[in-house]
């Protein structure tokens, strides 16, 4: 099973679990239907589209409505920690959720012996929580941007808002410096996919591949392009791609989907998600 | 000095060990204010407790309120609404640290983008409309995006009014800078 854990921005929505589908611009989970914008909605929609194009089972979505007060995020942590052992999860992606150190610790502790057969991907709040808890090395892949890379590189920061000024002021061309610093601090998992003008694939602290084509500068401004990347990546791993290979392919597919959407900084992420099937064809992953 | 060496020097082990990770302290004028803040925040569902502030940040009160840093924006808003003005709010991990106040701007021709820490806001120069928000990882970012995107930055409620988290706090910083840029541009055009 490919499971995604993350919140949706609706105060009235309680805990929901089940297969997610994305059709006609709408993401559906149980009886709830939403048009995704940035965040977990965009991530799950991208994962659904990728799974569908590759003839994979759709993701199992574990979600709850949270508008930022963190109450349902706590419920989500508790539910996942209490129920993960009963699910046959092979790939688990943790996404937008209020970063909570005991919460992420409880999820990781609940995995026990089953952790070995599972690929763990953390982005957004899931990544912030794992790093803040000092548990980055328990995760397999983080997908930070340059600003978040500064957070990982700052051993004392417990949120990107508290990143040392010097690190935030580094130019994006100095991402490799941040990667080295983060790795030395023990605040990275085995694999990093650092997204930006150049995407860096990092294994054990070493940059093993960079991807910079096609180069679509407007994508930096479009909310959700990092989420679509994480959705594609997670689905590819669920489809059997090795982690480093999946990172490189996901980065290319996301860029190609962006290029095909011909975006400007006002483009919606939905326009890019709609192009993922064509991007998968362009890299030869489906007919 | 190489950049990596400078970073190592700045971020090397300090004299003080960190307190609980992810915690912050609200420093108030008087003990009574700290007690009032603790009671009010607890009543609103926040996990807070009264603690003695470390010597180096004592500025008056001998009682401070410890809270989860991630809740900073919501906590600050409640304090403000209750008429409480903290002397300081600091991260306990690194007593000298405050949320970053640095912003970066990027020009996309018709649009400009402002980044603050992990948050970015993009505005149409021609009409001042917020066209995209990106970044972040806390649940209020997608929530705030719904109300902000597609609205003129001069007419929208600021993210700080409705957000709760540190991501929203940084979005507020980016918003303030972007609003300032739009206002400056409008003043220049009307001059």
């Amino acid at each position: 099973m490919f499971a995604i854990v993350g919140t949706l921005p609706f105060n009235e929505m309680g805990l929901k679990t089940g297969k997610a589908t994305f059709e006609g611009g709408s993401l559906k989970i149980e009886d709830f239907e939403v048009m995704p914008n940035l965040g977990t909605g965009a991530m799950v929609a991208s994962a659904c589209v990728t799974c569908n194009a590759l003839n994979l089972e759709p993701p199992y979505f574990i979600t709850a409505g949270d508008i930022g007060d963190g109450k349902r995020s706590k419920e989500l942590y508790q539910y996942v920690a209490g129920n993960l052992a009963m699910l046959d999860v092979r790939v688990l992606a943790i996404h937008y959720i209020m970063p909570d150190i005991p919460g992420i610790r409880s999820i990781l502790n609940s995995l026990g012996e089953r952790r070995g057969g599972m690929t763990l991907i953390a982005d957004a709040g899931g990544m912030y929580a794992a790093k803040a808890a000092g548990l980055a090395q328990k995760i397999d892949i983080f997908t930070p941007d340059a600003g978040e890379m500064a957070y990982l590189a700052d051993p004392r920061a417990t949120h990107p808002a508290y990143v040392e000024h010097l690190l935030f002021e580094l130019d994006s061309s100095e991402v490799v410096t941040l990667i080295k610093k983060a790795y030395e601090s023990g605040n990275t998992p085995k694999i990093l996919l650092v997204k930006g003008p150049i995407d860096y694939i990092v294994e054990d602290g070493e940059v093993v591949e960079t991807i910079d084509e096609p180069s679509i500068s407007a994508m930096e401004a479009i909310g959700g392009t990092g989420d679509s990347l994480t959705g594609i990546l997670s689905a590819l791993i669920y489809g059997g791609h090795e982690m480093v290979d999946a990172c490189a392919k996901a980065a290319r597919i996301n860029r190609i989907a962006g290029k095909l959407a011909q975006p400007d900084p006002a483009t919606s992420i939905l326009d890019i998600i709609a192009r993922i099937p064509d991007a998968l064809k362009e890299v030869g992953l489906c007919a | 000095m190489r950049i990596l060496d400078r970073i190592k020097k700045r971020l090397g082990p300090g004299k003080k060990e960190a307190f609980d990770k992810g915690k912050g302290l609200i420093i108030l004028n008087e003990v009574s204010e700290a007690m009032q803040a603790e009671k009010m925040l607890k009543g609103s569902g926040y996990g807070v407790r009264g603690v003695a502030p470390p010597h180096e940040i004592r500025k008056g009160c001998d009682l401070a309120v410890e809270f989860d840093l991630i809740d900073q924006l919501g906590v600050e808003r409640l304090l403000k609404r209750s008429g409480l003005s903290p002397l300081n709010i600091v991260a306990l991990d690194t007593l000298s640290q405050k949320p970053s106040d640095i912003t970066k701007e990027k020009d996309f021709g018709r649009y400009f983008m402002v980044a603050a820490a992990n948050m970015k806001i993009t505005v149409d120069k021609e009409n001042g409309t917020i066209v995209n928000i990106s970044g972040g990882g806390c649940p209020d970012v997608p929530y705030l995006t719904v109300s902000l995107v597609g609205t003129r930055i001069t007419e929208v409620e600021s993210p700080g009014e409705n957000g709760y988290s540190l991501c929203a706090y940084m979005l507020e910083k980016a918003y303030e800078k972007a609003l300032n840029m739009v206002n400056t541009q409008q003043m220049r055009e009307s001059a």
Side-chain angles (χ1 to χ4, degrees), chain A residues 77 94-95 97-108 115 120-143 151-152 154-155 157-160 185-189 192, chain B residues 21 70 137:
Chain A
Y77 282 116
I94 307 174
H95 209 239
I97 191 165
M98 193 61 108
D100 183 84
I101 291 169
I104 195 75
R105 194 169 278 142
S106 67
I107 289 180
L108 294 175
R115 173 66 185 90
L120 267 178
I121 300 152
D123 186 25
M127 176 172 68
Y128 298 175
K131 188 270 181 176
L135 297 171
Q137 292 177 348
K138 301 282 184 191
I139 308 291
D140 294 303
I141 307 177
F142 278 172
T143 53
Y151 164 57
L152 300 179
D154 186 339
T158 52
H159 188 280
S185 309
N187 287 318
T188 62
L192 289 172
Chain B
K21 292 192 94 178
I70 196 71

Side-chain angles (χ1 to χ4, degrees), chain B residues 11-190:
Chain B
L11 301 182
K15 288 178 183 173
K16 282 203 162 295
E17 288 300 314
F19 286 52
D20 287 344
K21 292 192 94 178
K23 298 288 185 184
L25 268 194
I26 304 162
I27 314 295
L28 291 132
N29 282 301
E30 297 172 3
V31 172
S32 61
E33 284 189 0
M35 290 170 69
Q36 189 187 338
E38 183 186 3
K39 188 178 176 186
M40 183 266 299
L41 291 169
K42 268 185 183 165
S44 298
Y46 287 104
V48 299
R49 63 173 184 154
V51 295
H55 284 288
E56 57 267 49
I57 57 168
R58 280 188 192 174
K59 287 188 175 176
C61 175
D62 282 327
L63 181 68
V65 181
E66 187 186 86
F67 70 106
D68 288 326
L69 274 176
I70 196 71
D71 296 326
Q72 182 159 344
L73 190 59
V75 163
E76 283 192 20
R77 184 169 54 242
L78 272 179
L79 290 172
K80 191 177 170 187
R81 284 180 185 168
S82 303
L84 291 166
S85 304
L87 290 167
N88 206 351
I89 296 181
V90 295
L92 270 176
D93 295 9
T94 48
L95 293 174
S96 60
Q97 274 193 316
K98 289 183 177 179
S100 171
D101 54 6
I102 302 174
T103 55
K104 290 180 184 173
E105 296 89 50
K106 188 166 180 176
D107 193 346
F108 284 97
R110 176 176 166 175
Y111 308 92
F112 70 85
M113 182 182 82
V114 179
N118 56 334
M119 295 307 310
K120 296 164 192 162
I121 188 166
T122 303
V123 176
D124 187 334
K125 290 179 199 169
E126 291 182 7
N127 52 26
T129 301
I130 300 169
V131 295
N132 251 310
I133 285 168
S134 83
C138 298
D140 45 3
V141 175
Y143 174 67
L144 293 168
T145 297
V146 173
S147 59
L148 292 172
V149 170
T151 313
R152 285 176 194 266
I153 194 166
T154 50
E155 297 169 1
V156 76
E157 257 192 327
S158 79
E161 290 297 317
N162 297 306
Y164 296 83
S165 70
L166 281 168
C167 288
Y169 195 95
M170 298 320 299
L171 180 58
E172 171 78 7
K173 297 281 178 200
Y175 158 87
E176 285 171 354
K177 177 68 180 180
L179 178 61
N180 184 261
M181 289 169 72
V182 168
N183 285 335
T184 303
Q185 183 186 311
Q186 286 178 352
M187 278 193 291
R188 208 180 292 134
E189 285 170 358
S190 60

Side-chain angles (χ1 to χ4, degrees), chain A residues 28-41:
Chain A
K28 291 178 189 167
I29 168 78
E30 290 186 2
D31 56 347
F32 205 81
E33 193 169 334
V34 57
M35 186 186 289
N37 60 5
L38 93 163
T40 300

